[in-house]
Amino acid sequence: LAPTSPTSLIPSPRCPTLALKSSATERVESVKAAALGALASGVASAPVHYLINVFILNPPNAIGQWEYATDMSSLSGALFAI
């Protein structure tokens, strides 16, 4: 039989260490995906939100609105990546 990776194995009640190893590996991969999604979404949306909030809408607290919009885009990207 060909060796398989720990994440591709199906955990069973007879082998609890395999279930824990697979679960921990999947959690680490999910955290890495969320971090990458947040970073990519924040970098991609920051210039667009800056142009909209500072030059087009121009509210009194433009920088605060830009920061909030960028943070929310990063959060959405992180959740989407998971």
Side-chain angles (χ1 to χ4, degrees):
L1 293 172
T4 58
S5 66
T7 57
S8 66
L9 296 174
I10 300 171
S12 68
R14 292 179 285 172
C15 186
T17 57
L18 178 61
L20 293 175
K21 192 175 205 180
S22 177
S23 178
T25 305
E26 288 178 6
R27 286 183 184 147
V28 168
E29 292 298 321
S30 293
V31 169
K32 287 195 292 188
L36 185 63
L39 182 66
S41 179
V43 168
S45 68
V48 175
H49 287 301
Y50 185 79
L51 290 174
I52 291 172
N53 285 316
V54 173
F55 293 115
I56 297 173
L57 297 177
N58 200 13
N61 56 350
I63 299 299
Q65 290 293 326
W66 168 70
E67 182 181 0
Y68 180 76
T70 304
D71 291 346
M72 290 301 109
S73 294
S74 294
L75 179 62
S76 296
L79 293 175
F80 181 74
I82 293 177

Coordinates of all heavy atoms in Angstrom, one line a residue:
L1 N 0.8 -1.2 0.0 CA 0.0 0.0 0.0 C 0.9 1.3 0.0 O 1.9 1.3 0.6 CB -0.9 0.0 1.2 CG -2.0 -1.1 1.3 CD1 -2.6 -1.0 2.7 CD2 -3.0 -0.9 0.2
A2 N 0.4 2.3 -0.7 CA 1.1 3.5 -0.7 C 0.9 4.3 0.6 O -0.2 4.3 1.2 CB 0.6 4.3 -1.9
P3 N 1.9 5.0 1.1 CA 1.7 5.8 2.3 C 0.8 7.0 2.0 O 0.8 7.5 1.0 CB 3.1 6.3 2.7 CG 3.9 6.1 1.4 CD 3.3 5.1 0.6
T4 N 0.0 7.3 3.1 CA -0.9 8.4 2.9 C -0.5 9.5 3.9 O 0.2 9.2 4.9 CB -2.3 8.0 3.2 OG1 -2.4 7.4 4.5 CG2 -2.8 7.0 2.2
S5 N -1.0 10.7 3.7 CA -0.7 11.8 4.6 C -1.6 11.7 5.8 O -2.7 11.2 5.7 CB -0.8 13.1 3.9 OG -2.2 13.4 3.5
P6 N -1.2 12.3 7.0 CA -2.1 12.2 8.1 C -3.5 12.9 7.9 O -4.4 12.5 8.6 CB -1.3 12.9 9.2 CG 0.1 12.9 8.7 CD 0.0 12.9 7.3
T7 N -3.5 13.9 7.1 CA -4.8 14.6 6.9 C -5.8 13.8 6.0 O -7.0 14.1 6.1 CB -4.6 16.0 6.3 OG1 -3.9 15.9 5.1 CG2 -3.8 16.9 7.2
S8 N -5.3 12.9 5.2 CA -6.2 12.2 4.4 C -6.7 10.9 5.1 O -7.6 10.3 4.5 CB -5.4 11.8 3.1 OG -4.4 10.8 3.4
L9 N -6.2 10.6 6.2 CA -6.7 9.4 6.9 C -8.0 9.7 7.6 O -8.2 10.8 8.2 CB -5.6 8.9 7.9 CG -4.3 8.4 7.3 CD1 -3.4 8.1 8.5 CD2 -4.6 7.2 6.5
I10 N -8.9 8.8 7.7 CA -10.2 8.9 8.3 C -10.0 8.5 9.8 O -9.6 7.4 10.1 CB -11.3 8.1 7.7 CG1 -11.4 8.5 6.2 CG2 -12.6 8.2 8.4 CD1 -12.3 7.6 5.4
P11 N -10.2 9.4 10.7 CA -10.0 9.1 12.1 C -11.1 8.0 12.6 O -12.2 8.1 12.2 CB -10.2 10.4 12.9 CG -10.8 11.3 11.9 CD -10.6 10.8 10.6
S12 N -10.7 7.2 13.4 CA -11.6 6.1 14.0 C -11.5 6.1 15.5 O -10.6 6.6 16.1 CB -11.2 4.8 13.4 OG -10.0 4.4 14.0
P13 N -12.6 5.6 16.1 CA -12.6 5.6 17.6 C -11.5 4.7 18.1 O -11.1 4.8 19.3 CB -14.0 5.1 17.9 CG -14.7 5.0 16.7 CD -13.8 5.2 15.5
R14 N -11.0 3.8 17.4 CA -10.0 2.9 17.8 C -8.6 3.5 17.9 O -7.7 3.0 18.5 CB -9.9 1.6 17.0 CG -11.2 0.8 17.1 CD -11.1 -0.4 16.2 NE -11.3 0.0 14.9 CZ -11.2 -0.7 13.8 NH1 -10.8 -1.9 13.9 NH2 -11.5 -0.2 12.6
C15 N -8.4 4.6 17.2 CA -7.1 5.3 17.1 C -7.3 6.8 17.4 O -7.3 7.6 16.5 CB -6.5 5.1 15.7 SG -4.8 5.7 15.6
P16 N -7.4 7.1 18.7 CA -7.6 8.5 19.1 C -6.5 9.5 18.8 O -6.7 10.6 18.5 CB -7.9 8.5 20.6 CG -7.3 7.2 21.1 CD -7.3 6.3 19.9
T17 N -5.2 9.0 18.8 CA -4.1 9.8 18.5 C -4.1 10.3 17.0 O -3.7 11.4 16.7 CB -2.8 9.1 18.8 OG1 -2.7 7.9 18.0 CG2 -2.6 8.9 20.2
L18 N -4.6 9.4 16.1 CA -4.7 9.8 14.7 C -5.7 10.9 14.6 O -5.5 11.8 13.8 CB -5.0 8.5 13.9 CG -5.3 8.8 12.4 CD1 -4.0 9.3 11.8 CD2 -5.7 7.5 11.7
A19 N -6.8 10.7 15.3 CA -7.9 11.8 15.2 C -7.4 13.1 15.7 O -7.6 14.1 15.1 CB -9.1 11.3 16.0
L20 N -6.6 13.1 16.8 CA -6.1 14.4 17.3 C -5.0 15.0 16.3 O -5.0 16.2 16.1 CB -5.4 14.2 18.7 CG -6.4 13.8 19.8 CD1 -5.6 13.5 21.1 CD2 -7.4 14.9 20.0
K21 N -4.2 14.1 15.8 CA -3.2 14.6 14.8 C -3.8 15.2 13.6 O -3.4 16.3 13.1 CB -2.3 13.5 14.4 CG -1.0 13.9 13.7 CD -0.1 12.7 13.5 CE 1.3 13.1 13.4 NZ 2.2 12.0 13.1
S22 N -4.8 14.6 13.1 CA -5.5 15.1 11.9 C -6.2 16.4 12.2 O -6.2 17.3 11.4 CB -6.5 14.0 11.4 OG -7.2 14.5 10.3
S23 N -6.9 16.4 13.3 CA -7.6 17.6 13.7 C -6.7 18.8 13.9 O -7.0 19.9 13.5 CB -8.4 17.3 15.0 OG -9.1 18.5 15.4
A24 N -5.6 18.5 14.6 CA -4.6 19.6 14.8 C -4.0 20.1 13.5 O -3.8 21.3 13.3 CB -3.5 19.2 15.8
T25 N -3.7 19.2 12.6 CA -3.2 19.6 11.3 C -4.2 20.4 10.5 O -3.8 21.4 9.9 CB -2.8 18.4 10.5 OG1 -1.9 17.6 11.3 CG2 -2.1 18.7 9.2
E26 N -5.4 20.0 10.5 CA -6.5 20.8 9.8 C -6.7 22.2 10.4 O -6.9 23.1 9.7 CB -7.8 20.0 9.9 CG -7.7 18.8 8.9 CD -9.0 18.0 9.0 OE1 -10.0 18.4 9.6 OE2 -9.0 16.9 8.4
R27 N -6.5 22.3 11.7 CA -6.7 23.6 12.4 C -5.5 24.5 12.0 O -5.8 25.7 11.7 CB -6.7 23.5 13.9 CG -8.0 22.9 14.4 CD -8.0 22.8 15.9 NE -9.3 22.2 16.3 CZ -9.4 21.5 17.4 NH1 -8.3 21.3 18.2 NH2 -10.5 20.9 17.7
V28 N -4.3 24.0 11.9 CA -3.2 24.8 11.5 C -3.4 25.3 10.1 O -3.1 26.4 9.7 CB -1.9 24.0 11.7 CG1 -0.7 24.7 11.0 CG2 -1.6 23.8 13.2
E29 N -3.8 24.4 9.2 CA -4.1 24.8 7.8 C -5.2 25.8 7.7 O -5.1 26.7 6.9 CB -4.4 23.5 7.0 CG -3.2 22.6 6.8 CD -2.0 23.2 6.1 OE1 -2.2 24.0 5.1 OE2 -0.9 22.9 6.5
S30 N -6.2 25.7 8.5 CA -7.3 26.7 8.5 C -6.8 28.1 8.9 O -7.1 29.1 8.4 CB -8.4 26.3 9.4 OG -9.0 25.1 8.9
V31 N -5.9 28.1 10.0 CA -5.4 29.4 10.4 C -4.5 30.0 9.4 O -4.5 31.2 9.1 CB -4.6 29.2 11.8 CG1 -3.8 30.4 12.1 CG2 -5.6 28.8 12.9
K32 N -3.7 29.2 8.7 CA -2.8 29.7 7.6 C -3.7 30.2 6.5 O -3.4 31.3 5.9 CB -1.9 28.6 7.1 CG -0.8 28.3 8.1 CD 0.3 27.5 7.4 CE 0.0 26.1 7.1 NZ 1.1 25.2 6.6
A33 N -4.8 29.5 6.1 CA -5.6 30.0 5.1 C -6.3 31.3 5.4 O -6.4 32.2 4.6 CB -6.7 29.0 4.7
A34 N -6.7 31.4 6.7 CA -7.4 32.7 7.1 C -6.4 33.8 7.1 O -6.8 35.0 6.7 CB -8.0 32.5 8.5
A35 N -5.2 33.6 7.6 CA -4.2 34.7 7.6 C -3.9 35.1 6.2 O -3.8 36.3 5.9 CB -2.9 34.2 8.3
L36 N -3.7 34.2 5.3 CA -3.4 34.6 3.9 C -4.6 35.3 3.2 O -4.4 36.3 2.5 CB -3.1 33.3 3.1 CG -2.6 33.6 1.6 CD1 -1.3 34.4 1.6 CD2 -2.4 32.2 0.9
G37 N -5.8 34.8 3.5 CA -7.0 35.5 3.0 C -7.2 36.9 3.5 O -7.5 37.8 2.8
A38 N -6.9 37.1 4.8 CA -7.0 38.4 5.4 C -5.9 39.4 4.8 O -6.2 40.5 4.5 CB -6.8 38.4 6.9
L39 N -4.7 38.9 4.6 CA -3.7 39.7 4.1 C -3.9 40.1 2.6 O -3.8 41.3 2.2 CB -2.3 39.0 4.2 CG -1.1 39.7 3.7 CD1 -0.9 40.9 4.6 CD2 0.1 38.8 3.7
A40 N -4.3 39.1 1.8 CA -4.6 39.4 0.4 C -5.8 40.3 0.3 O -5.7 41.3 -0.6 CB -4.9 38.1 -0.3
S41 N -6.8 40.1 1.0 CA -8.0 41.0 0.9 C -7.7 42.4 1.4 O -8.2 43.4 0.8 CB -9.1 40.4 1.7 OG -10.3 41.2 1.7
G42 N -7.0 42.5 2.5 CA -6.6 43.9 2.9 C -5.7 44.6 2.0 O -6.0 45.8 1.7
V43 N -4.8 44.0 1.4 CA -3.9 44.6 0.4 C -4.6 45.0 -0.8 O -4.4 46.1 -1.4 CB -2.6 43.7 0.1 CG1 -1.9 44.2 -1.1 CG2 -1.7 43.6 1.4
A44 N -5.5 44.1 -1.3 CA -6.2 44.4 -2.5 C -7.3 45.5 -2.3 O -7.5 46.3 -3.3 CB -6.9 43.1 -3.0
S45 N -7.9 45.6 -1.2 CA -9.0 46.6 -1.0 C -8.5 47.9 -0.4 O -9.2 48.9 -0.5 CB -10.0 46.0 -0.1 OG -9.6 45.9 1.2
A46 N -7.3 48.0 0.2 CA -6.9 49.3 0.8 C -6.8 50.4 -0.2 O -7.4 51.5 0.1 CB -5.6 49.0 1.5
P47 N -6.2 50.3 -1.4 CA -6.2 51.5 -2.3 C -7.6 51.9 -2.8 O -7.8 53.1 -2.9 CB -5.3 51.0 -3.4 CG -4.6 49.8 -3.0 CD -5.4 49.2 -1.9
V48 N -8.4 50.9 -3.0 CA -9.8 51.2 -3.5 C -10.5 52.0 -2.4 O -11.2 53.0 -2.7 CB -10.5 49.9 -3.9 CG1 -12.0 50.2 -4.3 CG2 -9.8 49.3 -5.0
H49 N -10.5 51.5 -1.2 CA -11.2 52.2 -0.1 C -10.6 53.5 0.2 O -11.3 54.5 0.6 CB -11.2 51.3 1.2 CG -12.1 50.1 1.1 ND1 -13.4 50.2 0.9 CD2 -11.8 48.8 1.2 CE1 -13.9 49.0 0.9 NE2 -13.0 48.1 1.0
Y50 N -9.3 53.7 0.0 CA -8.7 55.0 0.3 C -9.2 56.0 -0.8 O -9.5 57.1 -0.4 CB -7.1 54.8 0.2 CG -6.4 56.1 0.5 CD1 -6.3 56.5 1.9 CD2 -5.9 57.0 -0.5 CE1 -5.6 57.7 2.2 CE2 -5.3 58.1 -0.1 CZ -5.1 58.5 1.2 OH -4.5 59.7 1.5
L51 N -9.2 55.6 -2.0 CA -9.7 56.5 -3.1 C -11.2 56.9 -2.8 O -11.5 58.1 -2.9 CB -9.6 55.9 -4.4 CG -8.1 55.7 -5.0 CD1 -8.1 55.0 -6.3 CD2 -7.5 57.1 -5.1
I52 N -12.0 55.9 -2.4 CA -13.4 56.2 -2.2 C -13.6 57.1 -1.0 O -14.3 58.1 -1.1 CB -14.2 54.9 -2.1 CG1 -14.2 54.2 -3.4 CG2 -15.6 55.2 -1.6 CD1 -14.8 52.8 -3.4
N53 N -13.0 56.8 0.1 CA -13.2 57.5 1.4 C -12.5 58.9 1.4 O -13.0 59.8 2.0 CB -12.8 56.7 2.6 CG -13.8 55.5 2.8 OD1 -15.0 55.8 2.8 ND2 -13.3 54.4 3.1
V54 N -11.4 59.0 0.8 CA -10.6 60.3 1.0 C -10.9 61.2 -0.2 O -11.1 62.4 0.1 CB -9.1 60.0 1.0 CG1 -8.3 61.3 1.0 CG2 -8.8 59.2 2.3
F55 N -11.0 60.7 -1.4 CA -11.2 61.6 -2.5 C -12.6 61.8 -3.0 O -13.0 62.9 -3.4 CB -10.3 61.2 -3.7 CG -8.8 61.3 -3.4 CD1 -8.0 60.2 -3.3 CD2 -8.3 62.5 -3.2 CE1 -6.7 60.3 -3.0 CE2 -6.9 62.7 -2.9 CZ -6.1 61.5 -2.8
I56 N -13.4 60.7 -2.9 CA -14.8 60.8 -3.5 C -15.8 61.2 -2.4 O -16.5 62.2 -2.6 CB -15.2 59.5 -4.1 CG1 -14.2 59.2 -5.3 CG2 -16.6 59.5 -4.6 CD1 -14.4 57.8 -6.0
L57 N -15.9 60.5 -1.3 CA -16.9 60.8 -0.3 C -16.4 61.9 0.6 O -17.2 62.8 1.0 CB -17.2 59.5 0.5 CG -17.8 58.3 -0.2 CD1 -18.0 57.2 0.7 CD2 -19.1 58.7 -0.8
N58 N -15.1 61.9 1.0 CA -14.5 62.9 1.8 C -15.3 63.3 3.1 O -15.7 64.4 3.3 CB -14.3 64.2 1.0 CG -13.2 65.1 1.6 OD1 -12.5 64.6 2.5 ND2 -13.1 66.3 1.2
P59 N -15.6 62.3 3.9 CA -16.2 62.6 5.2 C -15.3 63.2 6.2 O -14.1 63.3 5.9 CB -16.7 61.2 5.7 CG -15.7 60.3 5.1 CD -15.3 60.9 3.8
P60 N -15.7 63.8 7.3 CA -14.8 64.5 8.2 C -13.8 63.5 8.8 O -12.7 63.9 9.1 CB -15.7 65.0 9.3 CG -17.1 64.8 8.9 CD -17.1 63.9 7.7
N61 N -14.1 62.3 9.0 CA -13.2 61.3 9.5 C -12.8 60.3 8.5 O -13.0 59.1 8.6 CB -13.8 60.6 10.8 CG -15.1 60.0 10.4 OD1 -15.7 60.2 9.4 ND2 -15.6 59.2 11.3
A62 N -12.3 60.8 7.4 CA -12.0 59.9 6.2 C -11.0 58.8 6.5 O -11.2 57.7 6.0 CB -11.5 60.8 5.0
I63 N -10.0 59.1 7.2 CA -9.0 58.1 7.5 C -9.5 57.0 8.4 O -9.3 55.8 8.2 CB -7.7 58.7 8.2 CG1 -7.1 59.7 7.2 CG2 -6.7 57.6 8.5 CD1 -6.6 59.1 5.9
G64 N -10.4 57.3 9.4 CA -11.0 56.3 10.2 C -11.9 55.4 9.4 O -12.0 54.2 9.6
Q65 N -12.7 56.0 8.5 CA -13.6 55.3 7.6 C -12.8 54.3 6.7 O -13.2 53.2 6.5 CB -14.5 56.2 6.8 CG -15.5 56.9 7.6 CD -16.6 56.0 8.2 OE1 -16.9 55.0 7.6 NE2 -17.0 56.3 9.4
W66 N -11.7 54.8 6.2 CA -10.8 54.0 5.4 C -10.3 52.8 6.1 O -10.3 51.7 5.7 CB -9.7 54.9 4.8 CG -8.6 54.1 4.2 CD1 -8.7 53.4 3.0 CD2 -7.3 53.8 4.7 NE1 -7.5 52.7 2.7 CE2 -6.6 53.0 3.7 CE3 -6.6 54.3 5.8 CZ2 -5.3 52.6 3.9 CZ3 -5.3 53.9 6.0 CH2 -4.7 53.0 5.0
E67 N -9.8 53.1 7.4 CA -9.3 52.0 8.2 C -10.3 50.9 8.5 O -10.1 49.7 8.4 CB -8.7 52.6 9.5 CG -8.1 51.5 10.4 CD -7.5 52.1 11.6 OE1 -7.6 53.3 11.9 OE2 -7.0 51.3 12.4
Y68 N -11.5 51.4 8.8 CA -12.6 50.5 9.2 C -13.0 49.6 8.0 O -13.2 48.4 8.1 CB -13.8 51.3 9.7 CG -15.0 50.4 10.0 CD1 -15.0 49.7 11.2 CD2 -16.1 50.3 9.2 CE1 -16.0 48.8 11.5 CE2 -17.2 49.5 9.5 CZ -17.1 48.8 10.7 OH -18.2 47.9 11.0
A69 N -13.1 50.3 6.8 CA -13.5 49.5 5.6 C -12.4 48.5 5.2 O -12.8 47.4 4.8 CB -13.7 50.5 4.4
T70 N -11.2 48.9 5.4 CA -10.1 47.9 5.1 C -10.1 46.8 6.1 O -9.9 45.6 5.7 CB -8.7 48.7 5.1 OG1 -8.8 49.8 4.2 CG2 -7.6 47.7 4.7
D71 N -10.3 47.1 7.3 CA -10.4 46.0 8.3 C -11.5 45.0 8.1 O -11.4 43.8 8.2 CB -10.5 46.6 9.7 CG -9.2 47.3 10.2 OD1 -8.2 47.1 9.6 OD2 -9.3 48.1 11.2
M72 N -12.7 45.6 7.7 CA -13.8 44.7 7.4 C -13.6 43.9 6.2 O -14.0 42.7 6.1 CB -15.1 45.6 7.3 CG -15.6 46.2 8.6 SD -15.9 44.9 9.9 CE -14.5 45.2 11.0
S73 N -12.9 44.4 5.2 CA -12.6 43.7 4.0 C -11.6 42.5 4.4 O -11.7 41.4 3.8 CB -12.0 44.5 2.9 OG -12.9 45.5 2.5
S74 N -10.7 42.8 5.2 CA -9.7 41.8 5.7 C -10.4 40.7 6.4 O -10.2 39.5 6.2 CB -8.6 42.4 6.6 OG -7.8 43.3 5.8
L75 N -11.4 41.0 7.3 CA -12.1 40.0 8.0 C -13.0 39.2 7.1 O -13.0 38.0 7.2 CB -13.0 40.7 9.0 CG -13.9 39.8 9.9 CD1 -13.1 38.8 10.7 CD2 -14.8 40.6 10.8
S76 N -13.6 39.8 6.1 CA -14.4 39.1 5.1 C -13.5 38.1 4.3 O -13.9 37.0 4.0 CB -15.1 40.0 4.1 OG -16.0 40.8 4.8
G77 N -12.3 38.6 3.9 CA -11.4 37.7 3.2 C -10.9 36.5 4.0 O -10.8 35.4 3.5
A78 N -10.7 36.8 5.3 CA -10.3 35.7 6.2 C -11.4 34.6 6.3 O -11.1 33.4 6.2 CB -9.9 36.2 7.5
L79 N -12.6 35.1 6.5 CA -13.7 34.1 6.6 C -14.0 33.4 5.3 O -14.4 32.2 5.3 CB -15.0 34.9 7.1 CG -14.8 35.4 8.6 CD1 -16.1 36.2 8.9 CD2 -14.6 34.3 9.6
F80 N -13.8 34.1 4.2 CA -14.0 33.5 2.9 C -13.0 32.4 2.7 O -13.2 31.3 2.1 CB -14.0 34.5 1.8 CG -14.3 33.9 0.5 CD1 -15.5 33.5 0.1 CD2 -13.2 33.8 -0.4 CE1 -15.8 33.0 -1.2 CE2 -13.4 33.3 -1.7 CZ -14.7 32.8 -2.1
A81 N -11.7 32.7 3.1 CA -10.6 31.7 2.9 C -10.8 30.4 3.7 O -10.3 29.4 3.3 CB -9.3 32.4 3.2
I82 N -11.4 30.5 4.8 CA -11.6 29.3 5.7 C -12.5 28.4 5.0 O -12.4 27.3 4.8 CB -12.1 29.7 7.1 CG1 -11.1 30.5 7.8 CG2 -12.5 28.4 7.8 CD1 -11.5 30.9 9.1

